[in-house]
Amino acid sequence: MASRTMKLSQSGTSKVKPATGKTKLATTGKAKQLGKGSKGGGGGLLRTLLMVGFLGLVVFVSYEYARLPDAVPLLKQNPKTTALMEQRAEEAREAGRKARRTQSWVGLSNVSKYAIDAVLLSEDASFYLHEGVDTKELENALEDAMRKGKLGRGASTITQQLAKNLWLSTDRSLLRKGKELILAHRLETSLPKNRILTLYLNVVEWGNGVYGIEAGAREHFGISASQLTAAQGAILASMLPAPRKRSPASGSKALKKRAHWIIDQMEAVKRLGAEQARAAHAEIDQILSGKKPDGTEEEEDGT
């Protein structure tokens, strides 16, 4: 009897061990499932954060877009002031100086064709072909910015420059550039090309407190914009990257080099004949002779 009891006891013990093994396996399986669940929870949190960030960006962009000015009024109205003019006035006040502003509005018919061609070839040769943004030039500028680690000047069409001058600051942030692209699109969809060019020629900076080509012609050459020669137009166009530094009286090597290049371009696209181009080159040398170059290239103003 005792032996049978012993056998039953041993038999019961042997049955308990496999059960313990199964319990361990089940526990391990549950642990693996819990592990998988925790990973899924982390991925879900990341997706949620990304979604919230994206929605926040959409809201911010939509808010900024709604706040940007409308270009339609410019179809018939000339702006009384611009963001650039206000910025220059503020800079003057901070420096304890009286802000200077000279400007006279003129139509395209009252601007020398040579001067118009010079500005177009210098600043935006594809002006009448694109819709506000030169995508190829923009791509090149972005690649250059990635290499240098900062935004530089370049790729800005006349429409983009007008948008910046009218409504934005001169900083080089990506946000400002984004606004510039949106506003350039608004200008292009609201105004004909000739109106955009007219606005640009009348508000662009051409020296300290000098705005527009009429004021620029009188300031630097003592004549009206309608009387500008090819050489004078090329010189004015060459000032635009840094108009407060590259005046005809500055002795700038960069200004002279650029002016000669513009005349070459005008000849290449048949805006000037060979003899006219030779005369323009000689006139540039005559106008800019006798100066004292500082031997350095000026850093360009921001876009």
Side-chain angles (χ1 to χ4, degrees):
M1 210 47 190
S3 63
R4 285 183 182 177
T5 305
M6 181 69 70
K7 287 179 181 179
L8 287 171
S9 176
Q10 289 175 347
S11 175
T13 304
S14 64
K15 288 180 180 179
V16 170
K17 288 181 180 178
T20 304
K22 288 180 182 178
T23 304
K24 287 182 179 179
L25 287 173
T27 304
T28 304
K30 288 181 180 179
K32 287 181 179 179
Q33 289 179 355
L34 287 173
K36 289 180 181 178
S38 63
K39 287 182 182 179
L45 177 60
L46 179 59
R47 285 193 296 271
T48 301
L49 291 174
L50 288 174
M51 182 61 69
V52 170
F54 175 74
L55 291 175
L57 180 61
V58 170
V59 171
F60 175 75
V61 170
S62 299
Y63 173 72
E64 288 293 326
Y65 183 85
R67 293 176 64 228
L68 293 176
D70 185 8
V72 173
L74 294 173
L75 185 60
K76 296 181 178 180
Q77 300 174 11
N78 295 331
K80 295 180 179 179
T81 187
T82 68
L84 180 62
M85 292 175 188
E86 295 303 315
Q87 179 181 326
R88 296 303 188 218
E90 180 61 27
E91 291 169 355
R93 285 191 291 269
E94 290 177 354
R97 295 181 285 103
K98 184 179 179 180
R100 181 186 184 220
R101 175 176 165 180
T102 175
Q103 181 188 32
S104 297
W105 279 83
V106 292
L108 286 184
S109 60
N110 291 317
V111 180
S112 161
K113 189 176 183 303
Y114 294 128
I116 294 174
D117 288 339
V119 170
L120 287 172
L121 287 168
S122 176
E123 294 300 295
D124 190 357
S126 301
F127 174 69
Y128 284 101
L129 301 177
H130 62 65
E131 297 182 353
V133 178
D134 189 326
T135 54
K136 183 60 179 176
E137 287 299 319
L138 181 61
E139 181 182 339
N140 292 338
L142 288 175
E143 290 178 356
D144 186 58
M146 290 179 67
R147 286 195 300 269
K148 294 180 179 178
K150 64 177 182 179
L151 285 174
R153 187 181 187 276
S156 290
T157 63
I158 280 177
T159 311
Q160 288 175 255
Q161 292 180 51
L162 175 61
K164 182 193 72 173
N165 285 347
L166 286 173
W167 297 306
L168 304 172
S169 67
T170 57
D171 72 78
R172 297 183 179 184
S173 69
L174 285 173
L175 177 59
R176 195 273 287 168
K177 200 68 178 178
K179 291 180 179 180
E180 179 186 298
L181 294 174
I182 293 171
L183 289 169
H185 177 70
R186 288 190 180 182
L187 284 167
E188 289 281 342
T189 55
S190 302
L191 310 175
K193 285 286 189 178
N194 280 354
R195 178 57 178 166
I196 292 172
L197 182 58
T198 299
L199 288 166
Y200 174 80
L201 289 172
N202 279 283
V203 302
V204 73
E205 193 175 29
W206 250 302
N208 182 26
V210 181
Y211 301 96
I213 195 164
E214 179 69 16
R218 294 187 180 279
E219 175 82 6
H220 301 295
F221 303 114
I223 59 175
S224 68
S226 63
Q227 298 173 303
L228 289 167
T229 65
Q232 292 167 334
I235 291 172
L236 286 179
S238 300
M239 292 175 61
L240 292 177
R244 295 190 296 169
K245 297 176 181 178
R246 291 186 180 182
S247 71
S250 68
S252 167
K253 288 183 177 179
L255 175 69
K256 186 175 183 179
K257 181 179 179 180
R258 183 72 175 179
H260 281 300
W261 178 85
I262 290 172
I263 294 299
D264 287 337
Q265 297 306 302
M266 292 174 73
E267 182 182 6
V269 297
K270 309 300 182 183
R271 295 296 188 271
L272 292 175
E275 187 58 40
Q276 289 176 307
R278 279 193 292 272
H281 282 302
E283 187 180 351
I284 289 172
D285 289 335
Q286 187 273 321
I287 293 172
L288 302 179
S289 65
K291 311 304 175 186
K292 296 180 180 179
D294 56 14
T296 60
E297 294 288 320
E298 303 90 338
E299 184 175 344
E300 297 178 347
D301 284 357
T303 25

